[in-house]
Amino acid sequence: MAVNQLMLEMLPEVELALRQVVDGTVNPRVPELRSMLTYHMGWEGEGAGPEAQGKRIRPLLVLLSAQAAGGDWREALPAAAAVELLHNFSLIHDDIQDRSELRRGRPTVWVKWGIAQAINAGDVMFTQAFHALQNLDRSLSADATLEALRVLQRVCLQLTEGQYLDLSYESRFELTQADYWPMITGKTSALLGGCCELGALCAGASHETRAAFHEFGLKLGLAFQVLDDWLGIWGDAALTGKSTESDLVSGKKSLPVLYALDRGGAFARRWLQGPIQAGDLPAVIEMLKADGAEEFTLAEAQRLTDQALSALARSAPLESTHNLRELTGLLLKRTH
Amino acid sequence: MAVNQLMLEMLPEVELALRQVVDGTVNPRVPELRSMLTYHMGWEGEGAGPEAQGKRIRPLLVLLSAQAAGGDWREALPAAAAVELLHNFSLIHDDIQDRSELRRGRPTVWVKWGIAQAINAGDVMFTQAFHALQNLDRSLSADATLEALRVLQRVCLQLTEGQYLDLSYESRFELTQADYWPMITGKTSALLGGCCELGALCAGASHETRAAFHEFGLKLGLAFQVLDDWLGIWGDAALTGKSTESDLVSGKKSLPVLYALDRGGAFARRWLQGPIQAGDLPAVIEMLKADGAEEFTLAEAQRLTDQALSALARSAPLESTHNLRELTGLLLKRTH
């Protein structure tokens, strides 16, 4: 991701804010607990470094939204740290729930320290997210800080609802497109909506402006997820990489799949016959395409992107949202 | 537990406040997620009822502290709900971590819904605890509400630190009394200290008074845990019930055990030889007693109780703390 000058300036500040919370809230007499957190954040342990840290997209969304809404982005750093910690708490628990053994190319926390300690490490990071956010009261009023906490709480409730749906879908065979949207709204978009709303809130924006920023983040999140689903089948990695990179082989009920299942055509009949193997991919991808699933998915991504940009246009003057639009472009123009 | 008239008046109000948060924050379109929470709280599902709900000691501590500090206990109900939800979140995760299959006589959440969904249900209840507490701003100032949130965050950090220690002790053979206190402080006492401090805070008490209430709760929690350790070996259930009720058979590193191990006498030599069976109990209990472990444990419980009552005496006039002292008596005079 080729970030611009302002983002390059923001990223080390985000990292500093994150480290202050993670280091500052764990008792030094329990260094191993601290190690689990700093390992997961990509700062320490084998394989530590930028690759292991993720792209910090959510903090950037907070800071760029604060800047677009006319605020001083540095005052929004506690919120930037909070959303990244919340995201990472959910990843720690997610990896246990999905039994994922790798995260950003490294063994997951539960693989290294066991399930019991990993659940607890996630709980610590959950607390740290709220702790970070509350530091907003250094620059915001107590009322605005409480409002920010309420935004994060709402996100948490949506995130856990999305997680519930995702887990429950694993054992449900009959799923339709109608099941898809609430799940990805909770799992992906709610937090992105919260990021943009928090940024605007830190800048002292009105309720109406905050709602427009929220709508922007929400739709950006949906567009991002739909595009991710497209990449999972038609992206470079899925097409040319190892077959395990294809969502079709892993059996993920992504949007193209659900669309084609709703249509009940050739793909649906093939899906019912059992798991798709690497060798079947070319034929199955052709069926999906013939059923209109690729066209539909790309059209949905475009529709949601348009809605996101239209919300952004309502949220602030065009010249203020330059950086946010640049980040949007980076997020939605990935090929791998 | 024979509660008095005021406590009898408080308990249904606590239950109502709890239900409002649990019901009001879970989306009605995910009824199964709501069921996991209402089941765990003892309100619904097989075996629901007062026995399945626990004694709600923590909410009572909040409300009685608010009343003792001269406040209107009804205004502290959001804090009472918050501490009970935090306690129950920790129980849901605890049961997964310890692989406990029963809680208050019923199958645990993870046994009924699986580990992945149980982790998530705990995460929901964690969020609900903060959500509940934030409702304090209906009667308190925004500043006081933020202060209350900070108290709960501090408790969460201590709770998770205690949990980390508890889990890490399972695989450590060499433990001493010095390892015991930080663990039970985190796992039991920090929350009880937080309860009493929150009650005083809701009543608008000064920092000094809040600190005294905090100290009272903390020492009460330590005394309670030490007594619980005594009961685990010399209590009616441990002595006359099934052998599985004895902490000696389960191998728990409780205070009497750690004391005797530190002493290095007959008990320590027996402990090193391997697990204690039901048939060994009379002889092993005699060794513990001969090493002075029972006397020491009861003396520690008394010392901590005295410290708790002395902190309480500093916190409010004697006539105001009547109910709190009555609850203290109920908690520390259990025989099973």
Side-chain angles (χ1 to χ4, degrees), chain A residues 214-280:
Chain A
H214 182 268
E215 171 86 359
F216 161 65
L218 198 72
K219 291 296 163 64
L220 173 65
L222 292 173
F224 181 83
Q225 186 58 54
V226 169
L227 200 67
D228 205 61
D229 283 4
W230 178 83
L231 288 168
I233 295 175
W234 289 282
D236 291 348
L239 287 177
T240 62
K242 293 172 296 177
S243 64
T244 50
E245 305 262 351
S246 171
D247 283 348
L248 290 171
V249 174
S250 69
K252 185 174 164 186
K253 289 148 187 167
S254 66
L255 186 62
V257 168
L258 291 173
Y259 172 83
L261 291 179
D262 283 355
R263 289 287 300 270
F267 175 82
R269 287 190 294 278
R270 169 60 192 85
W271 183 266
L272 289 171
Q273 285 163 18
I276 292 159
Q277 313 293 333
D280 311 333

Side-chain angles (χ1 to χ4, degrees), chain B residues 77-292:
Chain B
L77 279 165
V83 298
E84 187 65 13
L85 290 167
L86 188 73
H87 174 56
N88 278 281
F89 133 74
S90 79
L91 295 180
I92 294 176
H93 281 187
D94 225 41
D95 287 337
I96 305 170
Q97 291 162 326
D98 298 342
R99 301 278 165 151
S100 305
E101 296 183 3
L102 287 176
R103 161 75 55 193
R104 299 170 191 145
R106 307 157 83 211
T108 46
V109 175
W110 74 267
V111 166
K112 283 183 73 84
W113 284 281
I115 287 178
Q117 286 289 17
I119 293 173
N120 191 57
D123 293 342
V124 176
M125 203 161 271
F126 199 176
T127 306
Q128 289 176 327
F130 280 96
H131 188 94
L133 195 59
Q134 198 151 344
N135 287 337
L136 275 181
D137 72 354
R138 291 174 191 167
S139 53
L140 298 192
S141 71
D143 278 317
T145 304
L146 281 178
E147 193 59 21
L149 288 165
R150 218 164 257 129
V151 171
L152 201 70
Q153 272 159 19
R154 213 175 300 132
V155 168
C156 289
L157 290 170
Q158 291 177 283
L159 200 66
T160 46
E161 184 189 322
Q163 187 65 359
Y164 160 77
L165 291 174
D166 196 19
L167 294 169
S168 71
Y169 290 175
E170 278 169 29
S171 55
R172 269 181 59 191
F173 196 79
E174 289 287 335
L175 286 178
T176 70
Q177 258 200 77
D179 299 308
Y180 177 81
W181 300 106
M183 190 268 280
I184 68 158
T185 299
K187 283 208 66 161
T188 308
S189 316
L191 180 52
L192 268 58
C195 290
C196 299
E197 181 171 0
L198 282 171
L201 196 157
C202 292
S206 69
H207 273 273
E208 203 183 344
T209 302
R210 274 170 47 192
F213 271 100
H214 182 267
E215 171 85 359
F216 161 66
L218 198 71
K219 292 296 164 64
L220 173 65
L222 293 173
F224 180 83
Q225 186 58 53
V226 169
L227 201 68
D228 205 61
D229 283 4
W230 178 82
L231 288 168
I233 295 174
W234 289 282
D236 291 349
L239 287 177
T240 61
K242 292 171 296 178
S243 64
T244 50
E245 305 262 352
S246 171
D247 282 349
L248 290 171
V249 174
S250 69
K252 185 173 164 189
K253 289 149 187 165
S254 65
L255 186 61
V257 168
L258 291 173
Y259 173 82
L261 291 179
D262 282 356
R263 288 288 301 267
F267 175 82
R269 287 189 295 277
R270 170 60 193 84
W271 182 268
L272 290 170
Q273 285 165 18
I276 292 161
Q277 313 293 334
D280 312 333
L281 278 177
V284 173
I285 289 173
E286 199 44 54
M287 288 175 199
L288 266 181
K289 208 180 168 105
D291 284 345

Side-chain angles (χ1 to χ4, degrees), chain B residues 4-75:
Chain B
N4 69 18
Q5 194 51 45
L6 180 60
M7 300 180 210
L8 277 177
E9 206 178 314
M10 288 170 168
L11 285 168
E13 299 280 332
V14 167
E15 231 50 30
L16 192 67
L18 285 167
R19 291 203 79 133
Q20 279 171 350
V21 177
V22 171
D23 284 346
T25 55
V26 175
N27 197 318
R29 77 179 165 208
V30 287
E32 194 195 24
L33 177 55
R34 188 187 158 283
S35 294
M36 295 180 207
L37 307 175
T38 57
Y39 172 83
H40 176 79
M41 293 302 288
W43 298 325
E44 288 176 22
E46 213 179 313
E51 281 295 303
Q53 289 166 16
K55 303 192 191 73
R56 309 295 192 223
I57 289 165
R58 290 158 192 81
L60 285 177
L61 273 177
V62 172
L63 301 180
L64 293 175
S65 295
Q67 181 251 348
D72 174 356
W73 61 264
R74 284 173 206 275
E75 290 185 355

Side-chain angles (χ1 to χ4, degrees), chain A residues 85-103:
Chain A
L85 290 167
L86 188 74
H87 174 56
N88 278 281
F89 133 75
S90 79
L91 295 180
I92 295 176
H93 281 187
D94 225 41
D95 287 338
I96 305 169
Q97 291 162 327
D98 298 343
R99 301 277 165 152
S100 305
E101 296 184 2
L102 287 177
R103 160 77 51 194

